[in-house]
Coordinates of all heavy atoms in Angstrom, one line a residue:
M10 N 17.6 -1.2 -5.2 CA 16.2 -1.8 -5.2 C 15.5 -1.5 -6.5 O 14.9 -2.4 -7.0 CB 15.4 -1.3 -4.0 CG 14.1 -1.8 -3.9 SD 14.0 -2.6 -2.4 CE 12.3 -2.5 -2.0
F11 N 15.6 -0.3 -7.0 CA 15.0 0.0 -8.3 C 15.6 -0.7 -9.5 O 15.0 -0.9 -10.5 CB 14.9 1.5 -8.4 CG 13.9 2.2 -7.5 CD1 14.4 2.9 -6.4 CD2 12.6 2.0 -7.6 CE1 13.5 3.4 -5.5 CE2 11.7 2.5 -6.7 CZ 12.2 3.3 -5.6
M12 N 16.9 -1.0 -9.3 CA 17.6 -1.7 -10.4 C 17.0 -3.1 -10.5 O 16.7 -3.7 -11.6 CB 19.1 -1.8 -10.2 CG 19.8 -2.4 -11.4 SD 21.6 -2.2 -11.3 CE 22.0 -3.5 -10.2
V13 N 16.7 -3.7 -9.3 CA 16.0 -5.0 -9.3 C 14.7 -4.9 -9.9 O 14.2 -5.8 -10.7 CB 16.0 -5.6 -7.8 CG1 15.1 -6.8 -7.8 CG2 17.3 -5.8 -7.3
R14 N 13.9 -3.9 -9.6 CA 12.6 -3.7 -10.2 C 12.7 -3.6 -11.7 O 11.9 -4.2 -12.4 CB 12.0 -2.4 -9.6 CG 10.6 -2.2 -10.2 CD 10.0 -0.8 -9.8 NE 8.7 -0.6 -10.3 CZ 8.4 -0.3 -11.6 NH1 9.3 -0.2 -12.5 NH2 7.2 -0.2 -12.0
D15 N 13.7 -2.9 -12.2 CA 13.8 -2.8 -13.7 C 14.1 -4.1 -14.3 O 13.5 -4.4 -15.4 CB 15.0 -1.8 -14.0 CG 14.6 -0.4 -13.6 OD1 13.5 -0.1 -13.5 OD2 15.6 0.4 -13.4
V16 N 14.9 -5.0 -13.7 CA 15.1 -6.3 -14.2 C 13.8 -7.1 -14.2 O 13.5 -7.8 -15.1 CB 16.3 -7.0 -13.4 CG1 16.4 -8.5 -13.7 CG2 17.6 -6.3 -13.6
L17 N 13.1 -7.0 -13.1 CA 11.8 -7.7 -13.0 C 10.8 -7.3 -14.0 O 10.1 -8.1 -14.6 CB 11.2 -7.5 -11.6 CG 11.9 -8.3 -10.4 CD1 11.3 -7.9 -9.1 CD2 11.8 -9.8 -10.6
V18 N 10.8 -6.0 -14.3 CA 9.9 -5.5 -15.4 C 10.2 -6.2 -16.7 O 9.3 -6.6 -17.5 CB 10.0 -4.0 -15.5 CG1 9.3 -3.5 -16.8 CG2 9.3 -3.3 -14.3
Q19 N 11.5 -6.3 -17.0 CA 11.9 -7.0 -18.2 C 11.5 -8.4 -18.2 O 11.1 -9.0 -19.2 CB 13.4 -6.8 -18.4 CG 13.9 -5.4 -18.7 CD 13.2 -4.8 -20.0 OE1 13.1 -5.5 -21.0 NE2 12.7 -3.6 -19.9
L20 N 11.7 -9.1 -17.1 CA 11.4 -10.5 -17.0 C 9.9 -10.8 -17.2 O 9.5 -11.7 -17.8 CB 11.9 -11.1 -15.7 CG 13.4 -11.3 -15.6 CD1 13.8 -11.8 -14.2 CD2 14.0 -12.2 -16.6
V21 N 9.1 -9.9 -16.5 CA 7.6 -10.1 -16.6 C 7.1 -9.9 -18.0 O 6.2 -10.5 -18.4 CB 7.0 -9.1 -15.6 CG1 5.5 -9.0 -15.8 CG2 7.2 -9.5 -14.2
S22 N 7.8 -9.0 -18.8 CA 7.3 -8.8 -20.1 C 7.5 -10.0 -21.0 O 6.8 -10.2 -22.0 CB 8.0 -7.6 -20.8 OG 9.4 -7.9 -20.9
Y23 N 8.3 -11.0 -20.6 CA 8.5 -12.2 -21.4 C 7.7 -13.4 -20.8 O 7.8 -14.5 -21.3 CB 10.0 -12.6 -21.4 CG 10.8 -11.6 -22.2 CD1 11.8 -10.8 -21.5 CD2 10.7 -11.5 -23.5 CE1 12.5 -9.9 -22.2 CE2 11.5 -10.6 -24.3 CZ 12.4 -9.8 -23.6 OH 13.1 -8.9 -24.3
A24 N 7.0 -13.2 -19.7 CA 6.3 -14.3 -19.1 C 5.1 -14.7 -19.9 O 4.5 -13.8 -20.5 CB 5.8 -13.8 -17.7
P25 N 4.8 -16.0 -19.9 CA 3.7 -16.4 -20.7 C 2.4 -16.0 -20.0 O 2.4 -15.8 -18.8 CB 3.8 -17.9 -20.7 CG 4.6 -18.2 -19.5 CD 5.5 -17.1 -19.3
P26 N 1.3 -15.9 -20.7 CA 0.0 -15.5 -20.1 C -0.5 -16.7 -19.2 O -0.1 -17.8 -19.3 CB -0.9 -15.3 -21.2 CG -0.4 -16.1 -22.3 CD 1.1 -16.1 -22.1
C27 N -1.3 -16.4 -18.3 CA -1.9 -17.4 -17.4 C -2.7 -18.4 -18.2 O -3.6 -18.0 -18.9 CB -2.8 -16.7 -16.3 SG -3.7 -17.8 -15.3
P28 N -2.4 -19.7 -18.1 CA -3.1 -20.7 -18.9 C -4.6 -20.7 -18.5 O -5.4 -20.9 -19.4 CB -2.4 -22.0 -18.6 CG -1.2 -21.7 -17.8 CD -1.3 -20.2 -17.3
L29 N -5.0 -20.6 -17.3 CA -6.4 -20.6 -16.9 C -7.1 -19.5 -17.5 O -8.2 -19.7 -18.0 CB -6.5 -20.6 -15.3 CG -7.9 -20.6 -14.8 CD1 -8.6 -22.0 -15.1 CD2 -8.0 -20.3 -13.3
H30 N -6.6 -18.3 -17.4 CA -7.2 -17.1 -18.0 C -7.3 -17.2 -19.5 O -8.3 -16.8 -20.1 CB -6.5 -15.8 -17.6 CG -7.3 -14.6 -17.9 ND1 -7.2 -14.0 -19.1 CD2 -8.1 -13.9 -17.1 CE1 -8.0 -12.9 -19.1 NE2 -8.5 -12.8 -17.9
A31 N -6.3 -17.7 -20.1 CA -6.3 -17.8 -21.6 C -7.4 -18.9 -22.0 O -8.0 -18.7 -23.0 CB -4.9 -18.3 -22.1
A32 N -7.5 -19.9 -21.3 CA -8.5 -21.0 -21.6 C -9.9 -20.7 -21.3 O -10.8 -21.0 -22.0 CB -8.0 -22.3 -21.0
T33 N -10.1 -20.0 -20.1 CA -11.5 -19.9 -19.6 C -11.9 -18.4 -19.5 O -13.1 -18.2 -19.3 CB -11.6 -20.5 -18.2 OG1 -10.8 -19.8 -17.3 CG2 -11.3 -22.0 -18.2
G34 N -11.0 -17.5 -19.4 CA -11.3 -16.1 -19.2 C -11.5 -15.8 -17.7 O -11.8 -14.6 -17.4
L35 N -11.3 -16.8 -16.9 CA -11.4 -16.5 -15.4 C -10.0 -16.1 -14.8 O -9.0 -16.6 -15.3 CB -11.9 -17.8 -14.7 CG -13.3 -18.3 -15.1 CD1 -13.5 -19.7 -14.5 CD2 -14.3 -17.3 -14.7
H36 N -10.1 -15.4 -13.8 CA -8.8 -15.0 -13.1 C -8.5 -16.0 -12.1 O -9.4 -16.3 -11.2 CB -9.0 -13.6 -12.4 CG -9.2 -12.5 -13.4 ND1 -8.3 -12.0 -14.3 CD2 -10.3 -11.7 -13.6 CE1 -8.7 -11.1 -15.0 NE2 -10.0 -10.9 -14.6
C37 N -7.3 -16.6 -12.1 CA -6.9 -17.5 -11.1 C -6.6 -16.8 -9.8 O -6.5 -15.6 -9.8 CB -5.7 -18.4 -11.6 SG -4.2 -17.5 -11.6
P38 N -6.5 -17.5 -8.7 CA -6.2 -16.9 -7.4 C -4.9 -16.0 -7.4 O -4.8 -15.1 -6.7 CB -6.1 -18.0 -6.4 CG -6.9 -19.1 -7.0 CD -6.7 -19.0 -8.5
L39 N -3.9 -16.4 -8.2 CA -2.7 -15.7 -8.2 C -2.5 -14.7 -9.4 O -1.5 -14.1 -9.6 CB -1.5 -16.6 -8.2 CG -1.4 -17.4 -6.9 CD1 -0.3 -18.5 -7.0 CD2 -1.1 -16.5 -5.8
C40 N -3.6 -14.5 -10.2 CA -3.5 -13.5 -11.3 C -3.1 -12.2 -10.7 O -3.7 -11.7 -9.7 CB -4.9 -13.4 -12.0 SG -5.1 -14.5 -13.4
G41 N -2.2 -11.5 -11.3 CA -1.7 -10.2 -10.9 C -0.5 -10.3 -10.0 O 0.0 -9.3 -9.5
S42 N 0.0 -11.5 -9.7 CA 1.1 -11.7 -8.8 C 2.4 -11.1 -9.3 O 3.2 -10.5 -8.5 CB 1.4 -13.2 -8.5 OG 0.3 -13.7 -7.8
S43 N 2.7 -11.2 -10.6 CA 3.9 -10.6 -11.1 C 3.8 -9.0 -10.9 O 4.8 -8.4 -10.5 CB 4.0 -10.9 -12.6 OG 4.1 -12.3 -12.8
R44 N 2.7 -8.5 -11.2 CA 2.6 -7.0 -11.0 C 2.6 -6.6 -9.6 O 3.1 -5.6 -9.2 CB 1.3 -6.5 -11.7 CG 1.3 -6.7 -13.2 CD 0.0 -6.4 -13.8 NE 0.0 -6.7 -15.2 CZ -0.8 -6.3 -16.1 NH1 -1.8 -5.5 -15.7 NH2 -0.7 -6.7 -17.4
A45 N 2.1 -7.5 -8.7 CA 2.1 -7.2 -7.3 C 3.6 -7.2 -6.8 O 3.9 -6.4 -5.9 CB 1.3 -8.3 -6.5
V46 N 4.4 -8.1 -7.3 CA 5.8 -8.2 -6.9 C 6.5 -6.8 -7.3 O 7.2 -6.2 -6.5 CB 6.5 -9.4 -7.5 CG1 8.0 -9.2 -7.3 CG2 6.0 -10.7 -6.8
L47 N 6.1 -6.4 -8.5 CA 6.7 -5.1 -9.0 C 6.2 -4.0 -8.1 O 7.0 -3.1 -7.8 CB 6.3 -4.9 -10.4 CG 6.9 -5.8 -11.4 CD1 6.3 -5.5 -12.8 CD2 8.4 -5.7 -11.5
A48 N 5.0 -4.0 -7.7 CA 4.5 -3.0 -6.8 C 5.2 -3.0 -5.4 O 5.5 -1.9 -4.9 CB 3.0 -3.1 -6.6
L49 N 5.4 -4.2 -4.9 CA 6.2 -4.3 -3.6 C 7.6 -3.7 -3.8 O 8.1 -3.0 -2.9 CB 6.2 -5.7 -3.1 CG 4.9 -6.3 -2.6 CD1 5.0 -7.7 -2.3 CD2 4.5 -5.5 -1.3
F50 N 8.3 -4.0 -4.9 CA 9.6 -3.5 -5.1 C 9.6 -2.0 -5.4 O 10.6 -1.3 -5.3 CB 10.3 -4.2 -6.3 CG 11.0 -5.4 -5.9 CD1 10.4 -6.7 -6.0 CD2 12.3 -5.3 -5.4 CE1 11.1 -7.8 -5.6 CE2 13.0 -6.5 -4.9 CZ 12.4 -7.7 -5.1
S51 N 8.4 -1.4 -5.7 CA 8.3 0.0 -5.9 C 7.7 0.7 -4.6 O 7.4 1.8 -4.6 CB 7.3 0.3 -7.0 OG 7.8 -0.2 -8.2
A52 N 7.7 -0.1 -3.5 CA 7.3 0.4 -2.2 C 5.8 0.9 -2.3 O 5.5 2.0 -1.8 CB 8.2 1.5 -1.7
D53 N 5.0 0.1 -3.0 CA 3.5 0.5 -3.1 C 2.7 -0.7 -2.6 O 2.1 -1.4 -3.5 CB 3.2 0.8 -4.6 CG 1.8 1.4 -4.8 OD1 1.1 1.5 -3.8 OD2 1.5 1.6 -5.9
P54 N 2.6 -0.9 -1.3 CA 1.9 -2.1 -0.8 C 0.4 -2.1 -1.1 O -0.2 -3.1 -1.2 CB 2.2 -2.1 0.7 CG 2.6 -0.7 1.0 CD 3.2 -0.1 -0.2
A55 N -0.2 -0.9 -1.2 CA -1.6 -0.8 -1.5 C -1.9 -1.4 -2.9 O -2.9 -2.1 -3.1 CB -2.1 0.6 -1.4
S56 N -1.1 -1.1 -3.9 CA -1.3 -1.6 -5.2 C -1.0 -3.1 -5.2 O -1.7 -3.9 -5.9 CB -0.4 -1.0 -6.2 OG -0.8 0.3 -6.5
A57 N 0.0 -3.6 -4.4 CA 0.3 -5.0 -4.4 C -0.9 -5.8 -3.8 O -1.3 -6.8 -4.3 CB 1.5 -5.2 -3.5
L58 N -1.5 -5.2 -2.8 CA -2.7 -5.8 -2.1 C -3.9 -5.9 -3.1 O -4.6 -6.9 -3.2 CB -3.1 -5.1 -0.9 CG -4.3 -5.6 -0.1 CD1 -4.1 -7.0 0.3 CD2 -4.6 -4.7 1.1
R59 N -4.1 -4.8 -3.9 CA -5.2 -4.8 -4.8 C -4.9 -5.8 -6.0 O -5.8 -6.5 -6.4 CB -5.4 -3.4 -5.4 CG -6.5 -3.3 -6.4 CD -6.6 -2.0 -7.0 NE -5.5 -1.6 -7.9 CZ -5.3 -2.2 -9.1 NH1 -6.1 -3.1 -9.6 NH2 -4.2 -1.8 -9.8
L60 N -3.7 -5.9 -6.5 CA -3.4 -6.8 -7.6 C -3.4 -8.2 -7.2 O -3.9 -9.1 -8.0 CB -2.0 -6.4 -8.2 CG -1.9 -5.1 -8.9 CD1 -0.5 -4.7 -9.1 CD2 -2.7 -5.3 -10.3
S61 N -2.9 -8.6 -6.0 CA -2.9 -10.0 -5.6 C -2.9 -10.1 -4.1 O -1.9 -10.1 -3.4 CB -1.6 -10.6 -6.2 OG -1.6 -12.0 -5.8
P62 N -4.1 -10.1 -3.6 CA -4.3 -10.3 -2.1 C -3.6 -11.5 -1.6 O -3.0 -11.5 -0.5 CB -5.8 -10.3 -1.9 CG -6.4 -10.0 -3.1 CD -5.4 -10.1 -4.2
L63 N -3.6 -12.6 -2.3 CA -3.0 -13.8 -1.9 C -1.5 -13.7 -1.7 O -0.9 -14.2 -0.8 CB -3.3 -15.0 -2.8 CG -4.8 -15.4 -2.8 CD1 -5.1 -16.5 -3.7 CD2 -5.3 -15.7 -1.4
L64 N -0.9 -13.1 -2.7 CA 0.6 -12.9 -2.7 C 1.0 -12.0 -1.5 O 1.9 -12.2 -0.8 CB 1.1 -12.3 -4.0 CG 2.6 -12.1 -4.0 CD1 3.4 -13.4 -4.1 CD2 3.0 -11.1 -5.1
F65 N 0.2 -10.9 -1.4 CA 0.5 -9.9 -0.3 C 0.4 -10.6 1.1 O 1.2 -10.5 1.9 CB -0.5 -8.7 -0.4 CG -0.2 -7.6 0.5 CD1 0.8 -6.7 0.2 CD2 -0.8 -7.5 1.7 CE1 1.1 -5.7 1.1 CE2 -0.6 -6.5 2.6 CZ 0.4 -5.6 2.3
V66 N -0.7 -11.3 1.3 CA -0.9 -12.0 2.6 C 0.2 -13.1 2.7 O 0.7 -13.3 3.8 CB -2.3 -12.6 2.6 CG1 -2.5 -13.6 3.8 CG2 -3.4 -11.5 2.7
G67 N 0.5 -13.8 1.7 CA 1.6 -14.8 1.7 C 2.9 -14.2 2.1 O 3.7 -14.8 3.0
V68 N 3.3 -13.0 1.6 CA 4.5 -12.3 2.0 C 4.5 -12.0 3.5 O 5.4 -12.2 4.2 CB 4.8 -11.1 1.1 CG1 5.9 -10.2 1.7 CG2 5.1 -11.5 -0.3
V69 N 3.3 -11.5 3.9 CA 3.2 -11.1 5.4 C 3.3 -12.3 6.2 O 4.1 -12.3 7.2 CB 1.9 -10.3 5.6 CG1 1.6 -10.2 7.1 CG2 1.9 -9.0 4.9
L70 N 2.6 -13.4 5.9 CA 2.7 -14.6 6.6 C 4.1 -15.2 6.7 O 4.5 -15.8 7.7 CB 1.7 -15.7 6.1 CG 0.2 -15.3 6.4 CD1 -0.7 -16.4 5.7 CD2 -0.1 -15.2 7.9
A71 N 4.8 -15.2 5.5 CA 6.1 -15.7 5.5 C 7.0 -14.9 6.4 O 7.9 -15.4 7.1 CB 6.7 -15.7 4.0
G72 N 6.8 -13.6 6.4 CA 7.6 -12.7 7.3 C 7.4 -13.1 8.8 O 8.3 -13.2 9.6
V73 N 6.1 -13.3 9.1 CA 5.7 -13.7 10.5 C 6.3 -15.0 10.8 O 6.9 -15.2 11.9 CB 4.2 -13.7 10.7 CG1 3.8 -14.3 12.0 CG2 3.7 -12.3 10.6
Y74 N 6.2 -16.0 9.9 CA 6.7 -17.3 10.1 C 8.3 -17.3 10.3 O 8.8 -18.0 11.2 CB 6.4 -18.2 8.9 CG 6.8 -19.6 9.0 CD1 6.0 -20.5 9.7 CD2 8.0 -20.1 8.5 CE1 6.4 -21.9 9.9 CE2 8.4 -21.4 8.7 CZ 7.6 -22.3 9.3 OH 7.9 -23.6 9.5
A75 N 8.9 -16.5 9.5 CA 10.4 -16.4 9.7 C 10.9 -15.6 10.9 O 11.9 -16.0 11.5 CB 11.0 -15.8 8.4
G76 N 10.1 -14.7 11.3 CA 10.5 -13.8 12.3 C 10.1 -14.2 13.7 O 10.6 -13.7 14.7
V77 N 9.0 -14.9 13.9 CA 8.5 -15.3 15.2 C 8.3 -16.8 15.3 O 7.3 -17.4 15.0 CB 7.1 -14.6 15.4 CG1 6.6 -14.8 16.8 CG2 7.1 -13.1 15.0
P78 N 9.4 -17.5 15.8 CA 9.4 -18.9 15.8 C 8.3 -19.5 16.6 O 7.8 -20.6 16.3 CB 10.8 -19.3 16.4 CG 11.6 -18.1 16.2 CD 10.7 -16.9 16.2
R79 N 7.8 -18.9 17.7 CA 6.8 -19.5 18.5 C 5.4 -19.5 17.9 O 4.5 -20.2 18.4 CB 6.8 -18.8 19.9 CG 6.3 -17.4 19.9 CD 6.3 -16.9 21.4 NE 5.9 -15.5 21.4 CZ 6.7 -14.5 21.5 NH1 8.0 -14.7 21.7 NH2 6.2 -13.3 21.4
V80 N 5.2 -18.8 16.8 CA 3.9 -18.9 16.1 C 3.9 -20.0 15.0 O 2.9 -20.2 14.4 CB 3.4 -17.6 15.5 CG1 3.3 -16.5 16.6 CG2 4.3 -17.1 14.4
R81 N 5.0 -20.6 14.8 CA 5.1 -21.6 13.7 C 4.1 -22.8 13.8 O 3.5 -23.2 12.8 CB 6.5 -22.2 13.6 CG 7.4 -21.1 13.0 CD 8.8 -21.7 12.8 NE 9.7 -20.6 12.3 CZ 10.9 -20.6 12.3 NH1 11.6 -21.6 12.8 NH2 11.6 -19.6 11.8
P82 N 3.8 -23.3 15.0 CA 2.8 -24.3 15.1 C 1.4 -23.9 14.6 O 0.6 -24.7 14.2 CB 2.7 -24.7 16.6 CG 4.1 -24.3 17.1 CD 4.5 -23.0 16.3
V83 N 1.1 -22.6 14.7 CA -0.2 -22.1 14.2 C -0.4 -22.4 12.8 O -1.5 -22.7 12.3 CB -0.3 -20.6 14.5 CG1 -1.6 -20.0 13.9 CG2 -0.3 -20.3 16.0
F84 N 0.7 -22.3 12.0 CA 0.6 -22.5 10.5 C 0.3 -23.9 10.2 O -0.2 -24.2 9.1 CB 1.9 -22.1 9.9 CG 2.1 -20.6 9.8 CD1 2.8 -19.9 10.9 CD2 1.6 -19.8 8.8 CE1 3.0 -18.6 10.8 CE2 1.8 -18.4 8.8 CZ 2.5 -17.8 9.8
A85 N 0.6 -24.8 11.1 CA 0.3 -26.3 10.8 C -1.1 -26.7 11.4 O -1.5 -27.8 11.2 CB 1.4 -27.1 11.4
S86 N -1.8 -25.8 12.1 CA -3.0 -26.1 12.7 C -4.1 -26.3 11.6 O -4.1 -25.7 10.5 CB -3.5 -25.1 13.7 OG -3.9 -23.9 13.0
R87 N -5.1 -27.1 11.9 CA -6.2 -27.3 11.0 C -7.0 -26.0 10.8 O -7.5 -25.8 9.7 CB -7.1 -28.4 11.6 CG -8.2 -28.8 10.7 CD -9.1 -29.9 11.4 NE -10.0 -30.4 10.4 CZ -10.3 -31.6 10.2 NH1 -9.6 -32.5 10.8 NH2 -11.2 -32.0 9.3
R88 N -7.2 -25.3 11.9 CA -8.0 -24.0 11.8 C -7.3 -23.1 10.8 O -8.0 -22.4 10.0 CB -8.1 -23.4 13.1 CG -8.8 -22.0 13.1 CD -8.9 -21.4 14.5 NE -9.9 -22.2 15.2 CZ -10.2 -22.1 16.5 NH1 -9.5 -21.3 17.2 NH2 -11.1 -22.8 17.0
F89 N -6.0 -23.0 10.8 CA -5.3 -22.1 9.9 C -5.4 -22.6 8.4 O -5.7 -21.8 7.5 CB -3.8 -22.0 10.2 CG -3.0 -21.2 9.3 CD1 -3.0 -19.8 9.4 CD2 -2.2 -21.8 8.3 CE1 -2.2 -19.0 8.5 CE2 -1.5 -21.0 7.4 CZ -1.5 -19.6 7.5
V90 N -5.3 -23.9 8.2 CA -5.4 -24.4 6.8 C -6.8 -24.2 6.3 O -7.0 -23.8 5.2 CB -5.0 -25.9 6.8 CG1 -5.3 -26.5 5.5 CG2 -3.6 -26.1 7.2
V91 N -7.9 -24.4 7.1 CA -9.2 -24.2 6.7 C -9.5 -22.7 6.4 O -10.1 -22.4 5.4 CB -10.2 -24.7 7.8 CG1 -11.7 -24.3 7.5 CG2 -10.2 -26.3 7.8
G92 N -9.0 -21.9 7.3 CA -9.1 -20.4 7.0 C -8.4 -20.0 5.7 O -8.9 -19.2 5.0
L93 N -7.3 -20.6 5.4 CA -6.5 -20.3 4.2 C -7.3 -20.7 3.0 O -7.4 -20.0 2.0 CB -5.1 -20.9 4.2 CG -4.2 -20.5 3.1 CD1 -3.9 -19.0 3.2 CD2 -2.9 -21.2 3.3
V94 N -7.9 -21.9 3.0 CA -8.7 -22.4 1.9 C -9.9 -21.5 1.7 O -10.3 -21.2 0.6 CB -9.1 -23.9 2.2 CG1 -10.1 -24.3 1.2 CG2 -7.9 -24.8 2.1
V95 N -10.6 -21.1 2.8 CA -11.7 -20.3 2.7 C -11.3 -18.9 2.1 O -12.0 -18.4 1.2 CB -12.4 -20.1 4.1 CG1 -13.5 -18.9 4.0 CG2 -13.1 -21.4 4.5
F96 N -10.2 -18.4 2.5 CA -9.7 -17.1 2.0 C -9.4 -17.2 0.5 O -9.8 -16.3 -0.3 CB -8.5 -16.6 2.8 CG -7.9 -15.3 2.3 CD1 -8.6 -14.1 2.5 CD2 -6.7 -15.3 1.7 CE1 -8.1 -12.9 2.1 CE2 -6.1 -14.1 1.3 CZ -6.8 -12.9 1.5
V97 N -8.7 -18.2 0.1 CA -8.4 -18.4 -1.3 C -9.7 -18.5 -2.1 O -9.8 -17.9 -3.2 CB -7.5 -19.6 -1.5 CG1 -7.4 -20.0 -3.0 CG2 -6.1 -19.4 -0.9
T98 N -10.7 -19.3 -1.6 CA -11.9 -19.4 -2.4 C -12.7 -18.1 -2.5 O -13.2 -17.8 -3.6 CB -12.8 -20.5 -1.6 OG1 -12.1 -21.7 -1.5 CG2 -14.1 -20.7 -2.4
L99 N -12.7 -17.4 -1.4 CA -13.4 -16.1 -1.4 C -12.8 -15.1 -2.4 O -13.4 -14.4 -3.1 CB -13.5 -15.5 0.0 CG -14.5 -16.2 0.9 CD1 -14.4 -15.5 2.3 CD2 -15.9 -16.1 0.4
V100 N -11.4 -15.0 -2.4 CA -10.7 -14.2 -3.3 C -11.0 -14.6 -4.7 O -11.2 -13.7 -5.6 CB -9.2 -14.1 -2.9 CG1 -8.4 -13.5 -4.1 CG2 -8.9 -13.4 -1.6
S101 N -10.9 -15.9 -5.0 CA -11.1 -16.4 -6.3 C -12.5 -16.0 -6.9 O -12.7 -15.5 -8.0 CB -11.0 -17.9 -6.4 OG -9.6 -18.2 -6.1
V102 N -13.5 -16.2 -6.0 CA -14.9 -15.9 -6.4 C -15.1 -14.4 -6.6 O -15.6 -13.9 -7.6 CB -15.9 -16.4 -5.4 CG1 -17.3 -15.9 -5.7 CG2 -15.9 -18.0 -5.4
A103 N -14.6 -13.6 -5.7 CA -14.7 -12.1 -5.8 C -14.0 -11.6 -7.0 O -14.6 -10.7 -7.7 CB -14.1 -11.5 -4.5
R104 N -12.9 -12.1 -7.4 CA -12.1 -11.6 -8.5 C -12.9 -11.9 -9.8 O -12.7 -11.1 -10.8 CB -10.8 -12.3 -8.7 CG -9.9 -12.1 -7.5 CD -8.6 -12.7 -7.7 NE -7.7 -11.5 -7.5 CZ -6.5 -11.4 -8.0 NH1 -6.1 -12.3 -8.8 NH2 -5.8 -10.4 -7.8
N105 N -13.7 -12.9 -9.9 CA -14.4 -13.2 -11.1 C -15.9 -12.8 -11.1 O -16.5 -12.8 -12.2 CB -14.3 -14.7 -11.3 CG -12.9 -15.2 -11.7 OD1 -12.4 -14.8 -12.7 ND2 -12.3 -15.9 -10.8
V106 N -16.4 -12.4 -10.0 CA -17.8 -12.0 -9.9 C -18.0 -10.5 -9.7 O -18.8 -9.8 -10.3 CB -18.5 -12.7 -8.8 CG1 -20.0 -12.2 -8.6 CG2 -18.5 -14.2 -9.1
V107 N -17.1 -9.9 -8.9 CA -17.2 -8.5 -8.5 C -16.2 -7.7 -9.3 O -15.0 -7.9 -9.1 CB -17.0 -8.2 -7.0 CG1 -17.2 -6.8 -6.7 CG2 -18.0 -9.1 -6.2
P108 N -16.6 -6.8 -10.3 CA -15.6 -6.1 -11.1 C -14.6 -5.3 -10.4 O -13.5 -5.2 -10.8 CB -16.5 -5.2 -12.0 CG -17.9 -5.9 -12.0 CD -18.0 -6.6 -10.7
A109 N -15.0 -4.8 -9.2 CA -14.1 -4.0 -8.4 C -12.9 -4.8 -7.9 O -11.8 -4.2 -7.6 CB -14.8 -3.3 -7.3
F110 N -13.0 -6.1 -7.8 CA -12.0 -7.0 -7.3 C -11.2 -7.6 -8.3 O -10.3 -8.4 -8.0 CB -12.6 -8.0 -6.3 CG -13.1 -7.5 -5.0 CD1 -14.4 -7.7 -4.7 CD2 -12.3 -6.8 -4.2 CE1 -14.9 -7.1 -3.5 CE2 -12.7 -6.3 -3.0 CZ -14.1 -6.4 -2.7
A111 N -11.5 -7.4 -9.6 CA -10.7 -7.9 -10.7 C -9.2 -7.4 -10.6 O -9.0 -6.3 -10.2 CB -11.2 -7.6 -12.0
P112 N -8.2 -8.3 -10.9 CA -6.8 -7.8 -10.7 C -6.4 -6.8 -11.7 O -5.4 -6.1 -11.4 CB -6.1 -9.1 -10.9 CG -6.9 -10.0 -11.7 CD -8.3 -9.6 -11.3
F113 N -7.1 -6.6 -12.8 CA -6.7 -5.7 -13.8 C -7.9 -4.8 -14.2 O -9.1 -5.3 -14.1 CB -6.2 -6.4 -15.1 CG -5.2 -7.4 -14.8 CD1 -5.5 -8.8 -15.0 CD2 -4.0 -7.1 -14.2 CE1 -4.6 -9.8 -14.7 CE2 -3.1 -8.1 -13.9 CZ -3.3 -9.4 -14.2
P114 N -7.7 -3.6 -14.6 CA -8.9 -2.8 -15.0 C -9.5 -3.2 -16.3 O -10.5 -2.6 -16.7 CB -8.2 -1.4 -15.1 CG -6.8 -1.6 -15.4 CD -6.5 -2.9 -14.7
Y115 N -9.0 -4.2 -17.0 CA -9.6 -4.6 -18.2 C -9.8 -6.1 -18.2 O -9.3 -6.8 -17.3 CB -8.6 -4.3 -19.4 CG -7.2 -4.9 -19.2 CD1 -6.9 -6.1 -19.5 CD2 -6.2 -4.1 -18.6 CE1 -5.6 -6.7 -19.2 CE2 -5.0 -4.6 -18.3 CZ -4.7 -5.8 -18.7 OH -3.4 -6.3 -18.4
G116 N -10.7 -6.6 -19.1 CA -11.0 -8.0 -19.3 C -10.5 -9.0 -18.3 O -10.6 -9.7 -17.6

């Protein structure tokens, strides 16, 4: 597992910067996802949640979707989709307005 993490660290170092952040200075909803994946591979879910709540919630929802077939219709419901849109919007606003929710400790 840690060998996979080392490979991911190398790949992330070559990744281009986020175009939205580079153009506007705003953090997109998935800013910090690469680092969150590294945190998950390092068995640090708290850091993964702080870096990218959307990725963390997505991984959990994907696990539930794959593991519990009878809840699959819930994912297609209108209430779930509206809730997901509201969650993405709240995370996006919080990341750019509240410094404590920024994905990185700098700019």
Side-chain angles (χ1 to χ4, degrees):
M10 182 120 150
F11 290 105
M12 189 168 79
V13 171
R14 182 189 180 281
D15 294 337
V16 170
L17 287 173
V18 167
Q19 293 299 316
L20 290 174
V21 168
S22 66
Y23 294 110
C27 174
L29 178 70
H30 191 273
T33 65
L35 297 174
H36 297 291
C37 74
L39 292 175
C40 267
S42 293
S43 299
R44 294 175 188 194
V46 168
L47 294 176
L49 286 174
F50 272 97
S51 298
D53 188 2
S56 289
L58 180 60
R59 184 185 62 76
L60 287 165
S61 183
L63 294 180
L64 178 77
F65 187 83
V66 169
V68 167
V69 170
L70 290 176
V73 169
Y74 184 84
V77 187
R79 66 177 178 259
V80 299
R81 288 183 182 164
V83 172
F84 289 91
S86 72
R87 184 181 189 133
R88 179 179 285 170
F89 178 79
V90 172
V91 169
L93 189 61
V94 168
V95 168
F96 179 68
V97 168
T98 303
L99 290 175
V100 168
S101 298
V102 170
R104 298 185 126 206
N105 291 294
V106 175
V107 182
F110 291 120
F113 313 114
Y115 53 85

